[in-house]
């Protein structure tokens, strides 16, 4: 008996500490602790972090089982005033319109329990604005949803993180309304909220400014640049669109990532963007195969960010074309405070390929560097 007590010291810990430990587990796993002893039985009803992340649900029977399990946590007889910090649901089962009332009930229950973080990744329609009316919400992450709400004139004063991945809005202005309702937003991730149309961004969004935004990951067709011009970190997916854009001044931008998925139209668009980033310190560019043979020429004057602030430059999928070599040389010869430059040399064939890998390395390694502290690194993938 004495040995078993020593082995079960964890059960003697305070409820608050045990619940904290269980909160790191998927809720389904945390529930299995009830078989350990009666001491553990009431604990799972006191969990404030609920994670129902089961992507193995593919049929209706399994779906009903999962729904019943979630009901035990979200719906009465659970104490109505019991706080829930985080609710996360990820599944592959497609919610039909007839099942959406189940989702609505969970969302309403989460709101009533002063939810702070809400994560939802599933194929379903949201037909009411309950989740967008929760004033305690700090983090909202939605994925694969169709939002059927016509108008969203709400207030989300506590919201700091908003992630929308492949979320489609029935009314384009709903995205503007959602951003307008989030004056304290600090982190925005928007991808796949609009069809691939250069003019598809909601018109009203163009006049919106998020004063407290620090970080943004987006496609330009989802959120216009002027909405995120206060950020310190900016990641642009499908950056091939930048050649079509005019840019505001990014006065606070320190770190930028440009990811090209289809074609790389040349360095002119990138230079145009960098001209608007006077404090930029870190540049990360993932190229794709070049689609322009137009000769690139150095800017008439050295970019302010390059000469005064640039610390790190990374270029992935670097081909041995004259334009690519010229841009890399421009950075090496003008970035006074550059500490590292990383070139990922691609072996992909290209009509513009002028130099082999060894020649690229020799050409750039022999290039004079204005920064004596600069470390030049080559990678091969």
């Amino acid at each position: 008996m004495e040995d078993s007590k020593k082995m079960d010291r964890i059960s003697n810990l305070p409820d608050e500490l045990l619940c904290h430990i269980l909160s790191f587990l998927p809720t389904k796993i945390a529930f299995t602790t009830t078989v350990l002893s009666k001491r553990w039985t009431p604990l799972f009803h006191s969990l404030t972090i609920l994670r129902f992340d089961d992507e193995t649900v593919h049929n209706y029977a399994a779906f009903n089982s999962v729904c019943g399990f979630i009901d035990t946590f979200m719906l009465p007889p659970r104490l109505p005033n019991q706080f829930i910090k985080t609710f996360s649901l990820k599944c592959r089962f497609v919610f039909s319109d007839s099942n959406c009332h189940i989702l609505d009930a969970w969302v309403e229950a989460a709101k009533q329990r002063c939810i702070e973080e809400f994560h939802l990744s599933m194929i379903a329609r949201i037909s009411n604005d309950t989740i967008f009316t929760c004033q305690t919400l700090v983090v909202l992450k939605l994925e694969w949803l169709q939002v059927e709400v016509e108008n969203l004139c709400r207030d989300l004063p506590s919201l700091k993180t908003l992630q929308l991945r492949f979320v489609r809005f029935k009314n384009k202005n709903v995205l503007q309304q959602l951003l307008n309702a989030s004056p304290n937003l600090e982190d925005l991730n928007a991808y796949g909220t609009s069809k691939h149309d250069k003019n598809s961004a909601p018109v009203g969004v163009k006049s919106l400014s998020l004063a407290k935004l620090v970080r943004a990951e987006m496609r330009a067709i989802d959120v216009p640049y002027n909405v995120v011009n206060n950020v310190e970190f900016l990641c642009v997916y499908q950056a091939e669109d930048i050649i079509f854009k005019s840019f505001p001044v990014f006065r606070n931008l320190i770190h930028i990532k440009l990811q090209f998925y289809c074609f790389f139209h040349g360095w002119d668009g990138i230079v145009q963007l960098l001209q608007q980033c006077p404090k930029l310190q870190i540049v990360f560019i993932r190229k794709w195969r070049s689609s322009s043979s137009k000769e690139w020429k150095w800017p008439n004057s050295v970019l302010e960010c390059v000469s005064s602030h640039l610390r790190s430059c990374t270029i992935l999928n670097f081909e041995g074309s004259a334009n690519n070599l010229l841009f890399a040389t421009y950075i090496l010869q003008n970035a006074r405070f550059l500490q590292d430059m990383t070139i990922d040399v691609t072996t992909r064939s290209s009509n513009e390929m002028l130099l082999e890998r060894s020649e690229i390395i020799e050409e750039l390694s022999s290039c004079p560097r204005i920064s004596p502290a600069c470390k030049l690194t080559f990678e091969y993938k």
Side-chain angles (χ1 to χ4, degrees):
M1 178 69 70
E2 202 63 35
D3 289 340
S4 64
K5 287 184 179 179
K6 290 181 180 179
M7 293 175 62
D8 193 28
R9 289 179 179 175
I10 192 170
S11 291
N12 294 324
L13 296 174
D15 285 359
E16 294 79 6
L17 183 54
L18 289 175
C19 285
H20 179 70
I21 294 172
L22 291 176
S23 69
F24 291 97
L25 300 173
T27 304
K28 192 174 182 179
I29 302 300
F31 175 73
T32 62
T33 61
T34 59
V35 303
L36 297 177
S37 71
K38 292 182 179 180
R39 168 76 173 82
W40 290 80
T41 301
L43 291 179
F44 83 98
H45 283 295
S46 302
L47 293 176
T48 61
I49 298 179
L50 305 178
R51 294 191 180 94
F52 306 100
D53 300 339
D54 192 345
E55 298 187 0
T56 63
V57 177
H58 295 289
N59 58 66
Y60 197 75
F63 170 74
N64 280 336
S65 176
V66 170
C67 287
F69 183 67
I70 297 176
D71 284 347
T72 62
F73 287 87
M74 299 300 296
L75 304 181
R78 184 182 174 99
L79 296 177
N81 60 347
Q82 193 161 8
F83 170 72
I84 295 178
K85 180 179 180 180
T86 301
F87 177 86
S88 177
L89 173 59
K90 299 178 182 179
C91 71
R92 295 182 182 178
F93 188 86
V94 180
F95 262 64
S96 65
D97 291 345
S98 61
N99 291 323
C100 284
H101 70 280
I102 302 172
L103 180 59
D104 291 342
W106 296 337
V107 172
E108 181 61 36
K111 177 186 174 183
Q112 294 300 323
R113 288 158 179 76
C114 299
I115 188 79
E116 291 184 1
E117 296 189 26
F118 191 87
H119 308 172
L120 190 60
S121 177
M122 60 194 306
I123 300 175
R125 296 176 184 270
I126 295 181
S127 57
N128 64 61
D129 61 358
T130 301
I131 192 58
F132 304 114
T133 64
C134 184
Q135 297 199 352
T136 60
L137 204 59
V138 177
V139 177
L140 178 60
K141 297 182 179 182
L142 304 177
E143 190 172 24
W144 298 109
L145 296 169
Q146 178 75 38
V147 179
E148 297 290 337
V149 180
E150 291 284 355
N151 290 292
L152 188 67
C153 300
R154 302 298 178 182
D155 184 20
L156 295 168
S158 303
L159 192 66
K160 293 185 177 181
T161 299
L162 176 63
Q163 178 175 300
L164 304 171
R165 306 283 292 180
F166 303 105
V167 175
R168 294 302 177 90
F169 296 95
K170 183 177 181 180
N171 186 333
K172 291 182 180 181
N173 291 325
V174 172
L175 176 58
Q176 177 205 356
Q177 294 164 359
L178 179 56
L179 295 176
N180 271 326
S182 312
N184 294 306
L185 196 65
E186 297 176 359
D187 189 342
L188 173 64
N189 187 316
Y191 186 90
T193 63
S194 301
K195 294 181 180 179
H196 200 98
D197 179 351
K198 287 176 287 192
N199 299 314
S200 65
V203 175
V205 175
K206 296 179 181 179
S207 61
L208 176 66
S209 179
L210 299 172
K212 296 188 178 181
L213 198 66
V214 175
R215 179 185 179 90
E217 298 183 44
M218 48 171 260
R219 297 186 306 173
I221 65 170
D222 292 314
V223 180
Y225 288 112
N226 69 287
V227 176
V228 298
N229 64 341
N230 294 311
V231 297
E232 295 178 6
F233 173 89
L234 176 63
C235 177
V236 180
Y237 300 106
Q238 292 184 324
E240 42 267 68
D241 291 324
I242 67 173
I243 195 172
F244 303 111
K245 302 294 179 181
S246 58
F247 307 107
V249 176
F250 295 89
R251 299 194 181 280
N252 302 318
L253 192 63
I254 295 174
H255 187 168
I256 192 168
K257 295 181 70 173
L258 302 174
Q259 310 233 35
F260 294 83
Y261 290 166
C262 295
F263 290 102
F264 177 73
H265 297 293
W267 296 102
D268 288 332
I270 291 178
V271 169
Q272 182 186 355
L273 176 57
L274 297 184
Q275 285 175 334
Q276 303 299 99
C277 309
K279 297 181 180 179
L280 197 63
Q281 297 180 19
I282 302 172
V283 175
F284 177 98
I285 301 171
R286 184 187 296 274
K287 289 175 70 278
W288 197 243
R289 57 177 57 92
S290 298
S291 62
S292 174
S293 58
K294 177 184 175 183
E295 181 182 357
W296 181 73
K297 297 181 179 179
W298 282 27
N300 293 328
S301 58
V302 180
L303 300 176
E304 180 180 354
C305 66
V306 173
S307 63
S308 303
H309 299 285
L310 192 64
R311 301 291 194 277
S312 175
C313 180
T314 300
I315 305 175
L316 303 188
N317 295 325
F318 189 95
E319 299 170 302
S321 70
N323 286 341
N324 292 341
L325 288 166
L326 194 59
F327 182 82
T329 300
Y330 172 78
I331 297 297
L332 290 171
Q333 293 187 0
N334 290 287
R336 295 180 177 277
F337 301 100
L338 192 66
Q339 297 176 4
D340 62 85
M341 185 164 189
T342 301
I343 302 293
D344 169 51
V345 184
T346 181
T347 57
R348 186 176 58 233
S349 62
S350 169
N351 292 332
E352 286 190 56
M353 183 68 74
L354 300 180
L355 299 178
E356 298 295 331
R357 174 187 292 171
S358 59
E359 294 174 310
I360 295 172
I361 295 173
E362 181 180 356
E363 183 81 15
L364 293 180
S365 297
S366 61
C367 175
R369 307 170 207 174
I370 194 172
S371 170
C374 176
K375 178 183 178 183
L376 181 59
T377 303
F378 295 95
E379 298 180 351
Y380 320 104
K381 296 180 182 177

